[in-house]
Amino acid sequence: MFNKTGLIQLLIASGIVLTAGLSYAAEETANTALSAEEIDQQERIKARKAEIAAEAALAKKAEKGYWVAPRAYGTQRETEPPRFVKPIEKTWLKEYTDIDWLDVGADYRFRYENRENDFRRGVNVTDEPFLLRSRIYVAVRNKFDPLRFTLEAEDARRNHSNFARDNRDVDLAEPIQAYAELFFKDGLGKDDLGNDRPVSLKAGRMAFEQLDRRLIARNEWRNTTNTFQGVRATFGQHKNDWELDLLALQPIVRLTEQLNQRDKSQWFYGAIFDWRKWSDIVTLSPSYFYLKQDGDEVKYTSSGSLATAAQRLDRSIHTAGLRGYGLIGKTGLDYDLSYYRQWGEEDRTLTAKRDHRAYSYIAEIGYTADHEWKPRFSANYGVASGNKASSTGTQERFDRLFGFARPWSSNDYIQMENINATKVRAEFSPFTGVNIDTGYSWYKLDSATDRWGAGNNLVDATGRSGRDLGEEWDIRVRFPVVDKVSANVGYAYFKGGDFIKNAPATLGRKDTSNFFYVELTVSAF
């Protein structure tokens, strides 16, 4: 017989169990709903963080833009304005003025050189010149926009030398820049990173650098500066995906004893285009230059001396080329390649003409190791054509236009003509602000019958002395001394090859040379 008390107890127990089960199920359902909400919130937070990171990356990329600085040795161009120039509000002068539209700069450079058996000279002597250079710079940049003004003056002197003054080292108190500019900050709108695409139109006297400095340069190492007079139009800036520079200039002849003069016999036209957006690993720079010389207007040579009748020649030289350089991702590898072709026509004598056909190419590859010293190792091979024995009716010597020779040789023995140069280098920075580089180079003449231009125009027209020009080892250390004072100490050793040993003009001359220098630069700001 069924026990009523047991039944009641069973029902009560079942109710308790059911209630607990329902409560647990409800709690689990609530917990599940809460977890889904948390997951959704976490996903939203994650997405927002990704957006913020993307915005930061875009802002960082926009700040840098598309510009990638080349790493090849000696190819880093002087900035515009030069590095010693600053906005006045960022100098110690801000304590005395609230001007925010003026750029100012002043620096002084002293260099002592010890050149033993300098092959740039025709005699074997030891020369110890003091090279002195002073520069001042003033520019009005945004007071009367779009109209701007720039003035840069330089005084270059050489003392304590065995040789007569020349315009390589001496140019007394001259304006090297004096131009007016129309500057439109966003004249062509903005690029896809939001950076302004400006337009700049300059007219007057200008000193600047382009490409890898080998064809157009200020020549910062040399004591005097390359200068032009004319007009220059620049569309875009380094940050943009593309940039175009158009030139119509006349070179300024540097005169040691009087004011410099515009070379009325020459016009130099150019177009340089930089395309940076095509690939992250390459900047492409096609270029074209045209140098036109009217022989009837020639008065001075490039060295500043009066031209002879035989030097008053017509020349018409076209130069077209392509440069490509870049960094290969995060591998540490970089490269710099260029090729230039020249053609045209020039007088061989006052009564006979000849074609101009020349070329040059340069290749450098480097590797920067992931180390706190930032060591970079590189190999470079460069060629600039020379006149062959069979080229009596054609000028095959490459014309370096207005370029910088120092990337070729620390001794200043090599110019961009009639040369085959192989170079290996190492560069590193062991301490903040301290930069050390060293290299070894092998030089051959491109043609045994053409001149060694930087070597006092030494030539063996028979070609019997061979092409082996020599070898060079150099080292340089640059470091800060105190605030606004920096030093540059270097040494270069050159050992001549068969060409120097056997050429008639150097028979019996010592075949090695030593070059040591100490340089101090003081900047006002």
Side-chain angles (χ1 to χ4, degrees), residues 341-356:
R341 193 81 186 182
Q342 290 185 334
W343 71 96
E345 186 180 67
E346 59 185 63
D347 290 347
R348 183 183 178 196
T349 65
L350 293 176
T351 57
K353 292 186 178 295
R354 60 179 172 181
D355 290 334
H356 183 99

Side-chain angles (χ1 to χ4, degrees), residues 11 56 141 168 175 183 271 358 365 378 404 409 505 525:
L11 290 174
R141 56 181 155 84
R168 179 167 50 197
F183 183 81
I365 185 167
S378 62
F404 183 36
S409 163
F525 308 108

